[in-house]
Amino acid sequence: MSLPLKVGMFGGGTVGGGVYEIMEQTKKELFKAGGVDVTIAKICVRDVNKKRSFELEKHTTMVTDYDEILEDDSINCVVELMGGVTHAKDVVFKALKKGKHVVTANKALLAQLLPEVKSLVAENAGTTLGYEAAVCGGIPIIHNMQGSYVGDSIQSVMGIMNGTTNFMLTKMETEGADYAAVLKEAQDLGFAEADPTADVEGHDVQAKIALLAKLAFGQDVALDKVPCAGISNLSSTDFACAKMMGCTIKLVGTAALGESKDKLAVFVSPVLVPLGGPLASTRGPGNVVVVRSENLTESVYAGPGAGRYPTANSVVNDIVRLARLGAAGTPPPFPLERPLELEPDFEACFYVRVTAADGLGVLSAVGAIASEAGVSVHSVLRGGEGGGGGGEEAGVVSLVVKTDSCLRSQVGAFVDGLKGKKVATADPVVMSIL
Amino acid sequence: MSLPLKVGMFGGGTVGGGVYEIMEQTKKELFKAGGVDVTIAKICVRDVNKKRSFELEKHTTMVTDYDEILEDDSINCVVELMGGVTHAKDVVFKALKKGKHVVTANKALLAQLLPEVKSLVAENAGTTLGYEAAVCGGIPIIHNMQGSYVGDSIQSVMGIMNGTTNFMLTKMETEGADYAAVLKEAQDLGFAEADPTADVEGHDVQAKIALLAKLAFGQDVALDKVPCAGISNLSSTDFACAKMMGCTIKLVGTAALGESKDKLAVFVSPVLVPLGGPLASTRGPGNVVVVRSENLTESVYAGPGAGRYPTANSVVNDIVRLARLGAAGTPPPFPLERPLELEPDFEACFYVRVTAADGLGVLSAVGAIASEAGVSVHSVLRGGEGGGGGGEEAGVVSLVVKTDSCLRSQVGAFVDGLKGKKVATADPVVMSIL
């Protein structure tokens, strides 16, 4: 059953170095205990002369030409850790066509091309795909989705899947700091990139929740069908108001079946989550995934979502599973694809922060526009000094409207009305409340 | 690779009924998607005429004689859901000797006899053992311990693994209720048994942490080597004091390597855990397991620890994995057994609540006895009315001593001194602080 693996690895950076270190440290014990036989024979890098974070063993060669691995028939497993889509696609597609197993940590590639990659796996008998590291780094969420719900029926998957933004939101929550200040701190610490768009606008989470939606519901979800709101418009006022409501704010990727079970809502958005629950308890760069299902009610998986050793650990788990089980270890396509309609609209209670010119009649105007949109108002808080803390500019008032349960589209109409009638002097901040 | 399974199930009660329902509901889809072919052919019960919670399909027969399953060569998988040790041992041992695969939810059996069961699996080629449901019901902790740490090195496993006591402790925390009152409520609700000893004295957790210690450290841990303290001596004063220290109290099973990595401490005890962390956030009947390891730092698995469908879901996962992979799916014996010394002593900061006769000199006496025992006192709180809330009897004072980091054995000497010198008028309450 076990399959001796000769591995060609693409990428010798942070994660690649971690994979190499872990494999070399543990391979003797793995072989002794489980007959696991893995040799990383070649590592393809851009510059063989660059100093590496790991010592190269004699059985490993550094190469720069992709084909040194892809055309080498003795290599039966390609580990792709290059990132990006263009070159990684060439490597993964050709490896599968050559009959090689593929293990990848490439979330962007799979979120764009998973159906094509799966077709290639199906067409090239004996090949398999491992991608545990592509979603939430060190959390074994892919494997659990594939193996722990085979007789169950998942209702929703939601999670905090971006460590950079969670680090920032935790700072905003605990220190009352504002967005710009925590972004700068995250950049100074190397947590956030110079161009933080992919993180703070939620695109990174978008790719991850699309992959989890496929695993939970058997549904291919195109990225452009996943509405995505980020955290760049949040302020300390929002955290103060959230706290008054017994909540904090997290950037959450959600994939949830509607009640009728024929509609699927997949979206990324900041969400008010109750203090004391699993989402609120995930602090700093941690990640968490919460799965609601018929048999298990709620299961929670939490751990490090990124970093050298967590991500490498997931890659190693995939490699070892392959070496132990060969192609037999391929997870079956549970659940079967069902006819589900992607429906970005969903029902929830919402938080809408409206910035308006201070003066008589504001509340009445907001109320009237809510009614027109069919939005029932549960309560209104005053943000800023008078209420939830956080400063307000002179002459400007922040009203936080908490709605009763309604549709996201109705809240959209409410917001359009506020802007159209010039009651709101800035774009309102909208979040669902868990 | 896939292995058509003809299953004989022992037990048609709560969990057995759940397994039967889930398998019958999902078998067609599992077969279609993954070629999984499972038939539950016979169910062995005490009384075939008893009304069951599920409808029997034509392909299933109810039997009362064990040998109708064990001597039936067409049955290649035994699912044991009887509980208890005596009869379950007969069934599991004979099934393995007959070359049948075994899936069991029987924690008591495995905690006592895992080495013997593993020997039988090894001696009878082609047999395998699945026991996902034996620890923490619906949490896939066994499978994750077996598959997610193959290249990692675990430092500690700890968890809340008993729903009954966690329900009780949550009530004591949130409602300020006392032990006797919450026990009665738990019994009235059917959460606690008439004789609650196994739950409240920690014996149930003892069995589970022994099994997890084996998976994490490759070490067989005999139950009588696991020191075990329960929750029956906790009072509302302890929760009030814990809260003042930013903590709450949970019954925790722990298996932790010492710093030198050659000693292993395995024990069950109430523990002060920091509010906001994963252990404190697990409320009501929920379970959680926290694994600390070199690569992943901290991973958390939470979910329902008991109940019909959660436990049945884990049994079904084991059955389906077996049907997909056959004997190849047997997890390898990672990690290898290492020479570890079981050392019940461990280092921590401790909470010691001392009940003493009120009067001058109590504090000085407590301080002197602590010094003699080599225990450095960090701080002293006054329990009861003057301090942490909760009533005190007249003439009696509760002092809560928080120690600096020291050994459990030193705290034991401290407690012995308090009792020996009659400073403590009742057994002190001792907990470690996480």
Side-chain angles (χ1 to χ4, degrees), chain B residues 33-319:
Chain B
V36 170
D37 182 2
V38 178
T39 306
I40 300 182
K42 292 182 183 171
I43 305 178
C44 182
V45 296
R46 243 174 289 179
D47 177 2
V48 292
N49 295 315
K50 188 176 165 186
K51 196 169 153 38
R52 301 284 158 187
S53 59
F54 54 96
E55 297 279 322
L56 211 63
E57 303 289 331
K58 276 186 198 150
H59 54 256
T60 311
T61 319
M62 288 278 197
V63 300
T64 55
D65 179 355
Y66 294 2
D67 283 343
E68 289 251 18
I69 290 174
L70 297 172
E71 298 284 351
D72 181 341
D73 289 341
S74 75
I75 287 180
N76 56 356
C77 175
V78 160
V79 175
E80 185 276 304
L81 305 170
M82 312 157 79
V85 177
T86 320
H87 297 298
K89 179 186 168 185
D90 291 344
V91 164
V92 167
F93 279 36
K94 187 163 178 187
L96 290 171
K97 285 179 192 160
K98 287 276 178 182
K100 301 182 198 303
H101 300 279
V102 168
V103 173
T104 175
N106 196 323
K107 157 203 70 203
L109 175 77
L110 296 178
Q112 249 181 58
L113 296 169
L114 186 62
E116 287 84 342
V117 174
K118 291 219 162 171
S119 297
L120 282 172
V121 171
E123 286 160 20
N124 294 279
T127 62
T128 65
L129 172 73
Y131 60 106
E132 183 60 80
V135 178
C136 296
I139 304 179
I141 187 63
I142 304 283
H143 195 63
N144 276 290
M145 299 289 285
Q146 289 169 336
S148 302
Y149 299 87
V150 292
D152 202 353
S153 174
I154 293 176
Q155 287 140 3
S156 70
V157 188
M158 63 180 81
I160 297 172
M161 302 187 272
N162 181 274
T164 304
T165 47
N166 203 52
F167 170 84
M168 291 169 62
L169 295 173
T170 305
K171 284 261 167 192
M172 290 179 79
E173 177 194 352
T174 54
E175 298 174 11
D178 239 319
Y179 175 78
V182 296
L183 174 59
K184 176 151 192 325
E185 188 175 347
Q187 285 170 326
D188 290 347
L189 288 168
F191 276 138
E193 311 205 19
D195 176 1
T197 313
D199 289 324
V200 301
E201 296 307 339
H203 305 312
D204 171 69
V205 178
Q206 196 181 35
K208 292 170 181 167
I209 193 65
L211 289 172
L212 291 187
K214 169 70 179 171
L215 289 165
F217 304 107
Q219 181 85 357
D220 286 315
V221 177
L223 280 188
D224 59 5
K225 300 282 186 229
V226 180
C228 191
I231 64 165
S232 57
N233 62 351
L234 297 182
S235 76
S236 54
T237 303
D238 295 311
F239 281 89
C241 291
K243 196 174 173 190
M244 288 169 71
M245 295 157 76
C247 292
T248 187
I249 302 170
K250 295 294 186 183
L251 182 62
V252 176
T254 304
L257 273 192
E259 260 182 51
S260 59
K261 299 206 171 186
D262 56 356
K263 288 184 180 172
L264 178 64
V266 186
F267 56 95
V268 179
S269 154
V271 173
L272 269 76
V273 301
L275 292 169
L279 291 166
S281 308
T282 301
R283 281 155 188 278
N287 277 199
V288 63
V289 178
V290 179
V291 182
R292 299 219 167 107
S293 66
E294 224 164 90
N295 292 340
L296 296 184
T297 59
E298 183 175 291
S299 343
V300 179
Y301 306 86
R308 180 184 182 94
Y309 295 109
T311 309
N313 193 70
S314 287
V315 172
V316 168
N317 287 341
D318 276 348
I319 296 173

Side-chain angles (χ1 to χ4, degrees), chain A residues 323-390:
Chain A
R324 288 193 52 235
L325 298 174
T330 313
F334 304 143
L336 288 178
E337 213 163 326
R338 285 178 279 184
L340 285 172
E341 191 188 326
L342 263 185
E343 167 57 71
D345 211 6
F346 63 99
E347 208 174 315
C349 297
F350 289 88
Y351 167 110
V352 184
R353 174 162 60 85
V354 185
T355 307
D358 203 0
L360 287 174
V362 172
L363 189 60
S364 148
V366 168
I369 297 168
S371 294
E372 276 167 35
V375 170
S376 164
V377 173
H378 173 276
S379 52
V380 182
L381 288 174
R382 172 76 181 266
E385 280 167 48

Side-chain angles (χ1 to χ4, degrees), chain A residues 1 22 25-26 28-36 137-140 143-144 147-152 276-278 280-283 294-304 309-311 313-314 316-317 320-321 324-325 328-336 338, chain B residues 1 22 25-26 28-36 137-140 143-144 147-152 276-278 280-283 294-304 309-311 313-314 316-317 320-321 324-325 328-336 338:
Chain A
M1 196 58 43
I22 295 174
Q25 269 167 32
T26 55
K28 272 187 198 150
E29 173 149 339
L30 291 175
F31 183 72
K32 201 168 153 194
V36 170
I139 304 180
H143 195 63
N144 276 290
S148 302
Y149 299 87
V150 292
D152 203 355
S281 308
T282 301
R283 281 153 187 278
E294 224 164 272
N295 293 341
L296 297 183
T297 58
E298 183 175 289
S299 344
V300 179
Y301 307 87
Y309 294 109
T311 310
N313 193 70
S314 289
V316 169
N317 287 341
V320 171
R321 199 170 290 123
R324 288 193 52 235
L325 298 174
T330 313
F334 304 143
L336 288 178
R338 285 178 279 184
Chain B
M1 196 58 43
I22 295 174
Q25 268 167 33
T26 54
K28 273 187 198 151
E29 174 149 336
L30 291 174
F31 183 74
K32 200 168 155 195
V36 170
I139 304 179
H143 195 63
N144 276 290
S148 302
Y149 299 87
V150 292
D152 202 353
S281 308
T282 301
R283 281 155 188 278
E294 224 164 90
N295 292 340
L296 296 184
T297 59
E298 183 175 291
S299 343
V300 179
Y301 306 86
Y309 295 109
T311 309
N313 193 70
S314 287
V316 168
N317 287 341
V320 171
R321 198 170 291 122
R324 289 193 52 237
L325 299 173
T330 312
F334 303 144
L336 287 178
R338 287 179 277 182

